Amino acid sequence: MIYVDNAATTRLKPEVLEKMMPYLTDHFGNPSSIYTSGREAKIAVNSARAGIAAALGATESEIFFTGSGSEADNWAIKGVAHAAKGKHLITSAIEHHAVLHCFEYLGRNGYEVTYLPVDSLGLVNPEDLKNAIREDTALISIMTANNEIGTIQPIPQLAAIAREHKIPFHTDAVQAFGHIPLNVNELGVDLLSVSAHKIGGPKGVGALYIRKGTKITQFIHGGAQENGKRASTENVAGIVGFAHAAALAIRNLDENAKKVTELRDYYIKRVKETIPYCVLNGHPELRLPGNSNFSFEFIEGESLLLSLDMKGIEASSGSACTSGSLDPSHVLLAIGLPHEIAHGSLRISFSEDNTKEEVDTIIAELGPIVQRLRDMSPLYEGIKNKA
Amino acid sequence: MIYVDNAATTRLKPEVLEKMMPYLTDHFGNPSSIYTSGREAKIAVNSARAGIAAALGATESEIFFTGSGSEADNWAIKGVAHAAKGKHLITSAIEHHAVLHCFEYLGRNGYEVTYLPVDSLGLVNPEDLKNAIREDTALISIMTANNEIGTIQPIPQLAAIAREHKIPFHTDAVQAFGHIPLNVNELGVDLLSVSAHKIGGPKGVGALYIRKGTKITQFIHGGAQENGKRASTENVAGIVGFAHAAALAIRNLDENAKKVTELRDYYIKRVKETIPYCVLNGHPELRLPGNSNFSFEFIEGESLLLSLDMKGIEASSGSACTSGSLDPSHVLLAIGLPHEIAHGSLRISFSEDNTKEEVDTIIAELGPIVQRLRDMSPLYEGIKNKA
Amino acid sequence: MLYSEKVMEHFANPRNVGEIEDANAIGEVGNKKCGDIMKIYMKIENEVIVDIKFKTFGCGAAVATSSMATELVKGKTIKEALAITNKAVVEALEGLPPVKMHCSVLAEEAIKSAIADYYRRQGIDPEPIVGCSLKCESCHSHG
Amino acid sequence: MLYSEKVMEHFANPRNVGEIEDANAIGEVGNKKCGDIMKIYMKIENEVIVDIKFKTFGCGAAVATSSMATELVKGKTIKEALAITNKAVVEALEGLPPVKMHCSVLAEEAIKSAIADYYRRQGIDPEPIVGCSLKCESCHSHG
Ligand SMILES: Cc1ncc(COP(=O)(O)O)c(C=O)c1O
Ligand SMILES: Cc1ncc(COP(=O)(O)O)c(C=O)c1O
C-alpha cells in the first residue's frame, strides 16, 4: 500500500507509540489525583505542555490540550466571539470546515461574518482584511496553511493588521504545525490550533495556544483540568504522544521539509509531463512541503480515488471530512475553478516516509487510470474527437 | 501499590489495549477517507458504535462518540438548552462539575436554573422535581449515580415525570455505566453520557446517547464525522478500546458487581469496627457496587490521602477533579455534613481487580494514620480529654 | 460512506461502457455542476432494446449505477425498461450509501431520457409514455 | 497540584507537633469551614521563644507550613520571629502550589497570634507590635 494522504492523517510513529505505552499500561493514574500515580501523570502532562509550548515559542501556561484540532478551533472561535462585545467576525473563504462551520453557526446566531476571498493561488489579500475591519470586529481567523491546496498565508502581515486594531487573531495551524517553522510571537497571533494526528501523533488530541490576556470563555466546563480552562480527565497517553511527535517533527523539520518538497516537486513534474489537461491548484512556492493538488479535466475525483485505491494507492480528493458530500470543494471553487473541474481534483500529500519509487509507481498507475476514466466520460468526447 | 480510586480512573485493561493496538500501528487510516484503510477504520468505528448501542439498549444512530465524559455532558446540556425555547433548567445539587458548571454557565447567560436538593443519603425526591417543573422548563439533568458517595438515583421515576411534561431528560451515567445495568428505554432518558476511562477503557473518549427526535444543537462544528453531529477526526483506537471495555464490563457485570460489593461491604464493616468517630456517607443500599465514602471526624482529607499514599495506598477525597480546590465537596455539603466533617472524607472505590488482602492492608494502615492525624489535630483535643 | 462489494465490482468492471455509432436513442442527464453526467446510447428494434452503452462523468456510484441500469435494461422491451425504477437498480447493487441515492435516480432518468429521445425522433410526444420532464433538479438528494 | 520534596518531608515527619503544658503564648488561626486550623503553643523566656509546638487540622501544606514555621521560629527572639514572613516559610519549603499559598499565610498568622497572646497575657496591647488583627478572612487565597 502506498499511503499519500498525510494531510488527512498520518501513521502514528512507532517511537511515539513507545513513549505512550507506559501511560497505556502501568502509569494509568488520573493527573488530578494527589497520590503518586496521579502526580506522575500530572508531571507527564505538564512536561508535554512544556514541549508543545517550546515547539511554538509560547509559554507553558498558554498551551491547553483539547480532544482534537476541531475542538481547538471551536473553542478559539466561539470562545473569543462569546467573550467579546463586538458582533462582527472575519475569516477566509477557504478555511477548514472546523473553522468555517463555527462562523456559519455564529452567523446564524447574532453575529455578522465577513468571508475574505482568496486569489487564484489561494492567498488572502491583506488589503481585503484592512477593508473588512469594523469598529465592532471581535475576531479574525485565517488559517496558516490550507489543507487542500497547501497555500501558506502571510500570517505575520495579517496578524499585524489585527494587532493594530487590537482585534484578537486566531490561526488554524493544524496543517502547518510540524511542517513549516511556526513561532507565535513571530506570527503575532493570539490563538493557534494544532492537532496531533497530522504529525505522526495519535488521533483525538489537539491543543490551543491562547496568548496571555486574551479574553475567551470556557468551552468544556467541568473539573479544574488545564488550569481550570478545559475540563475532562486528561488523555495522558495521547498528550504525551502528541508532545513527542511534535518534538520529532520540530527536530527534523528542515530535513523532512527538504525531502518531502523534493518528492512532491518530482511528482508534480512527472504529472505535468505525462498527463494532459491537468492543472496544479495552489501556490507554486508558498505551499506546504508535502502538498500537491491537481485537477484532471473531464473526470470526477471520487472515481479517481477508488481507481487508485484498487491499485493500492491511498490519496484524497479535497479534505477527508468532505468526502461523502456532493458539494465540490469550497476551496477549489474559491480559487475560481469551474464546478466540473473542482470535482476532479486529486490531493496527494507526502510525508518523509514516502519514497521516489512510490512516486514512480503512482505516476505509472495514474496515467492509465485518468485515461480510462476520460474514455468513460461524456465530457471528454468532444475533446477526443477534436484531437 | 494498592489502587482503590477506580471512580477517578481505571487501569486500561490489557485485553482492551490489545484490541486498540492495530489502530495504533498499521490501521491508521482516517475513517472519513474512502480508500481501503479509511473504510476499515470507518467499519471499526461503526462496529464500536453498535457495541456501545447494544450495551445501552439504544440504536446505533443514537450513539455519538466524544472526546470525554465531560464533553458529552457539555454537549447534552448546552445543546438541548440552546435548541429549546424555554429558559428554565433543572438539575440536582450533587452533579459532577462537568454538569454543574454547565448549568452555572447557562445560569449566568440568560437561563434560570433550579438545583434540586438531596436528602441525607443523597437521593433526589421525585416530588421536588414535580414541583420544580414550569411551563418553560427546557431540560432536566440528574445523574444516574454519584461519583463521590455512589448514591443511585431513581432515574426511571424521575425521567417519567419529565416525559409526562415532554421535557428532555439527560442523565450523566459516567459512574454507573458498566457497573450497574443500564437501558435507555427502561430508564426512559433522552440523553445519557458515558466515559471510557471509568470502565477499563482509555482516557479521552466518551459518548453521548441522543434519543432519536431530541432537539439539540451541535457542539463541535466542522467535518461530517459522527453523522454530521460531532466534528473531529475520530480517535479510532480510543473508540475501539471503549467499545471493547464496555463489552467486557457488560458481559461480566453481575459477577463483578457481586465481587466488588463484597469487598466494599467487608471494608465498610472493618472500618466501622476499628475506627471511632467515622460516618459512612451515601445510601446503604442504593449505591454503586465499588463505592465507599467515610468521613473521619477531626481530620482533613488531603492529609489522610497523602498519608495513605506514603503507605502505597491510592485513594481519593471527593472527586479527583476538585482536589487542589479548597472548597469542601459540594456533594457532602448537600447531604448535610458540616464543613469540617466534609473536609475529612475518604472515598475508596474498588474494582474487580482488588482483593480482600488489599482491604486488610488498607484497614491495617488506615487506623494508625487516622489516629496520628487526630493526635495532631486541635479539634481532637477536647474529645481526647473527655474520653 | 461505504460501497457494497457489488458496487465496487461494477465500478471496477463497468458493463456496457462506450458509444453506439448507429444509436437511435440517446439520452443525457445530470450536469457539470452536480458532478454527475450520464449519457445513454440505445439501439432499439421492434420496441426491444437490443443494445445499450453509456458514458458517465461521476463518482463510483454513478459509474456503478450506470453499469447496472444498462445491464437491467439490455434486451428488454421499452415497456419493461420503463418499469425499472431506481430502487431496482439500488437493490441489484446491494444497496447504496444514503448520500449516493441520487445516482440511482439519475440512472433511471437517463434510461427514460434515451427512450424519450427515441419517441421524439419518430415525432411522438414522449411525455404520456415516459413521464414528466427529466432534470437533475439539484445536486442534493437530501436536505 | 504538586508538592515539593521538602513539603512532603515535613508532612511525613512534622517537627514540633504537640502541646506545651506550661505555654505562656497560645495562638489559634483558621476555622473549620476553611478546613485549616493551626494552633501554636510557645514558651517564651526573656523575649526568646525557647520552645514551640503546634497542632494542625488541615491539608498537607498546612501541616508542612506549621512544621517549617515552628522550626524557623524556635530559639529566635520575638522580634526575629515577627520578621519571618509567609514568603520565608514558602522558600524554606522550596515552594508551594498556588492554591496552597494561603497555608503559609496562616502559619505566619499563627505565630503572630501566639505572640499577641503573649503580650495580652501581660496586659500589653499587641496591636502596635504584632500588627493588624489576624483572621482567616476566607477560604480562598485567590479569586
Ligand atoms: C459523574 C461523572 N461525570 C462526568 C465525568 C467526566 O468524565 P471525563 O473525565 O471523561 O471527562 C466524571 C469523571 O471524571 C464523573 O465521575
Ligand atoms: C486545517 C485543518 N483544521 C482542522 C482540522 C481538524 O483537526 P482534527 O481532525 O484533529 O479535529 C484539520 C484536519 O482534520 C485540518 O486540516
Side-chain angles (χ1 to χ4, degrees), chain D residues 30-98:
Chain D
N31 67 49
K32 294 180 185 182
K33 208 173 158 184
C34 300
D36 286 308
I37 300 178
M38 285 185 198
K39 191 166 179 183
I40 299 270
Y41 301 82
M42 289 180 182
K43 178 88 189 156
I44 302 181
E45 282 172 12
N46 299 327
E47 301 286 290
V48 172
I49 300 163
V50 294
D51 198 10
I52 181 166
K53 298 252 183 237
F54 77 90
K55 288 238 172 150
T56 287
F57 163 80
C59 63
V63 173
T65 50
S66 306
S67 169
M68 182 54 87
T70 53
E71 277 289 273
L72 292 179
V73 159
K74 202 173 182 176
K76 298 272 157 62
T77 63
I78 290 181
K79 214 182 144 198
E80 286 167 337
L82 288 174
I84 292 169
T85 61
N86 76 307
K87 260 192 160 168
V89 177
V90 173
E91 270 165 32
L93 285 170
E94 292 164 7
L96 275 182

Side-chain angles (χ1 to χ4, degrees), chain A residues 3-10 147 175 197-198 291 347 349-350, chain B residues 30:
Chain A
Y3 185 79
V4 279
D5 197 13
N6 292 285
T9 195
T10 53
N147 45 303
Q175 287 288 335
H197 72 97
K198 306 286 189 187
N291 175 282
R347 178 185 72 182
S349 48
F350 297 99
Chain B
N30 187 324

Side-chain angles (χ1 to χ4, degrees), chain A residues 30 225 231-233, chain B residues 7-8 68-71 73 96 98 143 145-147 172 174-175 195-198 204-205 321:
Chain A
N30 186 323
Q225 292 94 348
S232 297
T233 300
Chain B
S68 65
S70 299
E71 186 196 323
D73 284 338
H96 188 272
M143 70 198 316
N146 183 268
N147 46 303
D172 175 343
V174 168
Q175 287 289 333
S195 182
H197 72 97
K198 308 285 189 187
V205 196
C321 301

Side-chain angles (χ1 to χ4, degrees), chain A residues 36-58:
Chain A
T36 310
S37 76
R39 290 199 305 267
E40 283 168 359
K42 181 82 162 194
I43 290 171
V45 168
N46 282 346
S47 86
R49 193 185 316 285
I52 299 293
L56 287 168

Side-chain angles (χ1 to χ4, degrees), chain B residues 78-159:
Chain B
K78 297 176 190 168
V80 171
H82 286 148
K85 284 206 197 77
K87 292 288 179 198
H88 177 239
L89 312 167
I90 302 175
T91 189
S92 88
I94 61 161
E95 298 295 315
H96 188 272
H97 282 164
V99 168
L100 217 46
H101 289 174
C102 286
F103 282 106
E104 288 169 5
Y105 167 78
L106 292 170
R108 289 189 303 272
N109 286 276
Y111 294 81
E112 209 181 312
V113 186
T114 302
Y115 299 91
L116 300 177
V118 294
D119 65 16
S120 64
L121 302 176
L123 284 174
V124 170
N125 186 336
E127 288 306 313
D128 288 343
L129 175 58
K130 272 185 206 159
N131 295 333
I133 287 173
R134 308 191 325 201
E135 272 293 305
D136 63 339
T137 303
L139 171 67
I140 299 168
S141 177
I142 295 170
M143 70 198 316
T144 312
N146 183 268
N147 46 303
E148 294 190 35
I149 57 173
T151 301
I152 299 168
Q153 301 297 337
I155 297 297
Q157 232 179 308
L158 299 167

